[in-house]
Amino acid sequence: MAVGGKRRWWWKRRAAVVAGVTIAVSVWVGSHCYFRRENMAKAEEALVSMCEERARMIQDQFAVSVNHVHALAILISTFYYQKQPPALDQETFAYYTAKTAFERPLLNGVAYAERIIHSQREIFETRQGWTIMTMKREPSPMQDEYAPVIYSQETVSYIEAIDMMSGEEDRENILRARATGKAVLTKPFRLLESNHLGVVLTFPVYRSGLPEDATVEQRVEATAGYLGGAFDVESLVENLLRQLAGNQDITINVYDITNASEPLIMYGPQIPEGYMPLSHVSMLDFGDPFRKHQMHCRYREKPPLPLSAITTPFGIFVIIMLGGYIVFAAKNHYDNVKEDCRKMEELKVQAEAADVAKSQFLATVSHEIRTPMNGVLGMLDMLLDTDLNLTQKDYAQTAQVCGKALISLINEVLDRAKIEAGKLEIEAVPFDLRSILDDVISLFSSKSREKGIELAVFVSDKVPEVVTGDPGRFRQIITNLVGNSVKFTERGHIFVQVHLADNSDLGADEKVHSGLNGLSRSEKVQIMSDCTFDTLSGFEAADTRNNWENFKLLLSDEMCLQEASTSDKEPDIVTLIVSVEDTGIGIPLRAQDRVFTPFMQADSSTSRNYGGTGIGLSITKCLVELMGGQINFISRPNVGSTFTFTAVFKRCNKDAIADTKRTLSEALPTGFKGMKAFIVDGKPVRNAVTRYHLKRLGIAVEVANTVKMMLNSLTRQNSNFRTGRQPYIILIEKDSWYTGMDVYLHNQLLMLKQNDCVLELPKVILLVTCEYDKMSSGSLVDTVIIKPLRASTVAACLQQVLGMEKQQKKELSNGPTNLRNLLAGKNILVVDDNKVNLRVAASALKKYGATVECAESGKDALSLLQLPHKFDACFMDVQMPEMDGFEATRQIRLMESKANEQISNGGASRGEDSMIVEWHLPILAMTADVIQATYEECLKCGMDGYVSKPFEEQQLFQAVAKFLVSKPSSDS
């Protein structure tokens, strides 16, 4: 990303952050204001509700008091004016009003003033015994009428004899009351006793007979007096608020607003208090239509802001900020992922380019290393075919071994590169598994003889003779495992077993064990030397299941399964379990977790003492997994290791088995069928291995633990052997042999012959593990076989002892084809720009009877292969100057295509005496480059096969057997 782009991206991100924060703050402020408004609205609603409720209660309480006054007025009218003489006097009135005062809690007291006109004043005053007084306690002046108080409640007895019409406002109220017939109120004033603000209620008292729709004049005429009561408004409101909860929350003012310009306060402070912005006014109806009253309500303090008005906006703010952060982080993550994807795409392109460069580098390095190595090994092979003395031959063989070791190392590195690139493929071709195991055993036979260790292989009878899979990779796995065992084993044995996974308990998923911890190596060796185990060599094995009891049980189970499955259809998939057991130094516990890690060994001393790169086991694990199996191991330090793996193969049909047998370069002879042999061996596992190799040759076997037991058995069974036509063979293990045994055994056999127990003296063969043991065999032993045993080695020995060489030669000459039969008389063109490689390839092919012609470039090959030509096959190098092998092959195929098109049109033929057939010259790539990409390119350009340099007999045979027809060799 450019600098300007980064700056713009930074400013955009900063603007987005500022905008997000601004939005969040705005939402917070807006939500806070909204919640404040909602709170004030709710507070106002609550205030209105409280104010209206209080106003309603005041009105109700006032109305109740007015009703009681009205009822008292009716009582006075009935008992004072309608009764003669009147049934009511001051004492009765005072008593009654005192007893009923609880029904008028808002009134300080009630009094009755009679209407007296001026003409009746004198008589009235005489009757009452007092003079009508004014409010100022002075005799009332003369006027039209008077309203002196004649009855009063005891609480207001001080107004008795006072003329209620002496006051201007009281006079107006009295006149309005009798004219309307309703209760009327005065304006607020200070009550005499309590000094509270109050009002006087005046109610007219009429004589009986007044109609309901009476006129004003009729009402005035019928007026008998006036009933009044003093209302203490302050006490009224105070008592009411005291009864209500929450009275402390609001302040109340009651006003008389009859004169709207000068409202008169009836209750509350003169100067309004409380929270002024929020108030409510309720109208009060006290029943006087002339006077108007209001009640003003306010909160004492500003309504508190609820916690939700703070927390909710804050929560919204936090949510918005979190949401914004999530969006910002997601956008930032998206940008980062997008940038990472862009970088990954760049890295992918670089990695692909690096992979191509790596493949090209490996191809080039492989070719450049293997090309001179091909010359070295080829020339050494040619040198070994000449007459050399022992020293020269030893030097040449040593150089050849070193060269092959270098080639093996190169192959391992390339295999690892293929595995990492995912380009390693598994073949599916029929092959003889037992033959491959024999070859691997033969490969390490010299090393095992030098160390004097037992090296043996055993394949179960249930394992098919021929299976379909990748023989090369299977051979590589076994070679790696056996090679490691040989490298790290100095005494004891190395034992390879192959069984069907269905009837074997040697699982490949067992856990790693350890044993004999805490002892020195000398103590452990002493312990093992004092103990004998039922194993191949008698030494303890890491896997305790590999003993004679389990081995014997396994063999018996296989025999039962073999009998039971004769009529059953065998499955197409064959899962084999292979174990490689050794009694070597074992693997330290600390290193067991990294056994399969590439280029890792137990410690640095391992590479110094034993050599190796630590790559073999990692490749082995990958190959096993590619073959559908698993690999694991059990190892105990200073006891040994047992590696076990499974592999999945396909079962071959009978035709494929027959074809595979015909193409094998080495077949076991069939002339031993019907022969009988005795094995003298005290170790049951080892004699089972020997019996396995003899059974492969068709020899019937019996086993004896000692020579004496064998002789006794011969004596008991003499009648059976007298009728036999085949010679008898005795194979004795070195453990059962001692000095002078040859003389003793020879004398015993002669006695058996003299007693007609045997027709002929049996052939005595001694089995030893090293050259040194051969020296103590004695002179009367027919031959000595140095292990490891192979069926072909045993067969060769028996042929020599029994004088069957000529017969075997005849069988071989009439047997399967071999490489010489394939190449004899064939015209082969070899194309390579390296003259040394030309000499090596030409010599190798001429060695097998082929006629070879050489070309040093692709152009030379094209000129020699102009149609028609005489060649039966062409070995083409891949990397050559001017025109490489790929381009030369394309040109050859193009020429053949044109010629075949003419032949199909009837225009040309291969020759005058030839049948009209298509041209197709078998072209085999011959290169030191062995990676998969090169193989695919070979097939793509039209080549038929692939031979890597330096090639060997078996590889060359497998390559040419597909295209060349063999010539049967004649008997000489």
Side-chain angles (χ1 to χ4, degrees), residues 22 188 348 414 845 894 971:
T22 302
K348 180 183 176 184
L414 292 175
L845 294 171
L894 182 61
D971 293 342

Side-chain angles (χ1 to χ4, degrees), residues 100-142:
T100 59
F102 69 92
E103 295 179 344
R104 302 178 300 278
L106 304 181
L107 293 173
N108 285 354
V110 292
Y112 176 69
E114 187 176 4
R115 180 187 180 197
I116 302 296
I117 58 177
H118 182 69
S119 60
Q120 299 174 341
R121 177 177 179 178
E122 184 177 355
I123 298 172
F124 175 79
E125 288 177 344
T126 301
R127 186 175 68 244
Q128 295 293 333
W130 41 259
T131 303
I132 298 175
M133 307 295 288
T134 63
M135 292 289 183
K136 296 179 179 179
R137 298 288 181 177
E138 296 175 352
S140 176
M142 184 180 64

Side-chain angles (χ1 to χ4, degrees), residues 65-76:
S65 298
V66 170
N67 290 336
H68 280 286
V69 172
H70 190 190
L72 188 60
I74 295 172
L75 185 145
I76 293 172

Side-chain angles (χ1 to χ4, degrees), residues 761-780:
L761 285 179
K763 302 298 182 182
V764 179
I765 301 174
L766 183 62
L767 303 178
V768 299
T769 57
C770 61
E771 291 285 347
Y772 175 79
D773 293 335
K774 187 177 179 181
M775 307 298 295
S776 60
S777 61
S779 58
L780 298 179

Side-chain angles (χ1 to χ4, degrees), residues 433-497:
L433 181 140
R434 290 170 177 81
S435 177
I436 287 180
L437 291 173
D438 283 347
D439 291 344
V440 174
I441 294 300
S442 177
L443 184 65
F444 296 101
S445 59
S446 61
K447 197 70 175 176
S448 66
R449 289 168 185 167
E450 289 178 9
K451 293 186 173 185
I453 58 178
E454 292 274 1
L455 176 59
V457 64
F458 178 88
V459 182
S460 168
D461 292 338
K462 284 292 293 179
V463 175
E465 188 174 356
V466 177
V467 294
T468 299
D470 192 328
R473 297 305 177 186
F474 182 77
R475 182 196 304 270
Q476 186 175 358
I477 293 171
I478 299 296
T479 301
N480 283 343
L481 295 178
V482 175
N484 280 345
S485 294
V486 171
K487 184 190 302 182
F488 296 110
T489 303
E490 300 296 333
R491 84 284 182 276
H493 66 267
I494 299 167
F495 189 21
V496 182
Q497 298 183 59

Side-chain angles (χ1 to χ4, degrees), residues 41-216:
K42 290 180 180 179
E44 185 175 4
E45 290 179 1
L47 180 64
V48 170
S49 175
M50 289 188 292
C51 193
E52 292 293 335
E53 181 183 13
R54 285 156 176 74
R56 184 172 59 253
M57 293 185 70
I58 291 174
Q59 289 180 165
D60 292 344
Q61 291 288 340
F62 197 87
V64 169
S65 298
V66 170
N67 290 336
H68 280 286
V69 172
H70 190 190
L72 188 60
I74 295 172
L75 185 145
I76 293 172
S77 175
T78 301
F79 290 97
Y80 183 73
Y81 292 104
Q82 296 182 15
K83 298 289 184 180
Q84 292 296 332
L88 189 67
D89 55 14
Q90 169 60 33
E91 184 180 356
T92 303
F93 185 84
Y95 178 79
Y96 176 78
T97 55
K99 291 296 183 180
T100 59
F102 69 92
E103 295 179 344
R104 302 178 300 278
L106 304 181
L107 293 173
N108 285 354
V110 292
Y112 176 69
E114 187 176 4
R115 180 187 180 197
I116 302 296
I117 58 177
H118 182 69
S119 60
Q120 299 174 341
R121 177 177 179 178
E122 184 177 355
I123 298 172
F124 175 79
E125 288 177 344
T126 301
R127 186 175 68 244
Q128 295 293 333
W130 41 259
T131 303
I132 298 175
M133 307 295 288
T134 63
M135 292 289 183
K136 296 179 179 179
R137 298 288 181 177
E138 296 175 352
S140 176
M142 184 180 64
Q143 52 189 26
D144 293 339
E145 59 180 293
Y146 307 92
V149 176
I150 60 174
Y151 299 142
S152 64
Q153 190 175 346
E154 186 176 355
T155 56
V156 291
S157 58
Y158 56 86
I159 63 171
E160 187 176 359
I162 293 178
D163 181 11
M164 301 305 296
M165 295 188 72
S166 61
E168 184 66 27
E169 187 174 356
D170 291 333
R171 182 182 180 84
E172 291 179 2
N173 286 348
I174 289 173
L175 295 177
R176 278 194 303 114
R178 72 183 184 183
T180 60
K182 296 181 180 181
V184 297
L185 299 173
T186 63
K187 65 181 180 181
F189 63 92
R190 294 286 175 182
L191 299 177
L192 296 177
E193 292 292 328
S194 63
N195 199 35
H196 289 174
L197 286 172
V199 293
V200 174
L201 171 70
T202 304
F203 202 90
V205 177
Y206 296 106
R207 294 184 181 89
S208 61
L210 182 68
E212 293 182 0
D213 57 347
T215 62
V216 174

Side-chain angles (χ1 to χ4, degrees), residues 214-233:
T215 62
V216 174
E217 289 77 8
Q218 290 176 331
R219 290 181 181 280
V220 172
E221 185 66 23
T223 300
Y226 313 98
L227 185 65
F231 277 93
D232 189 342
V233 177

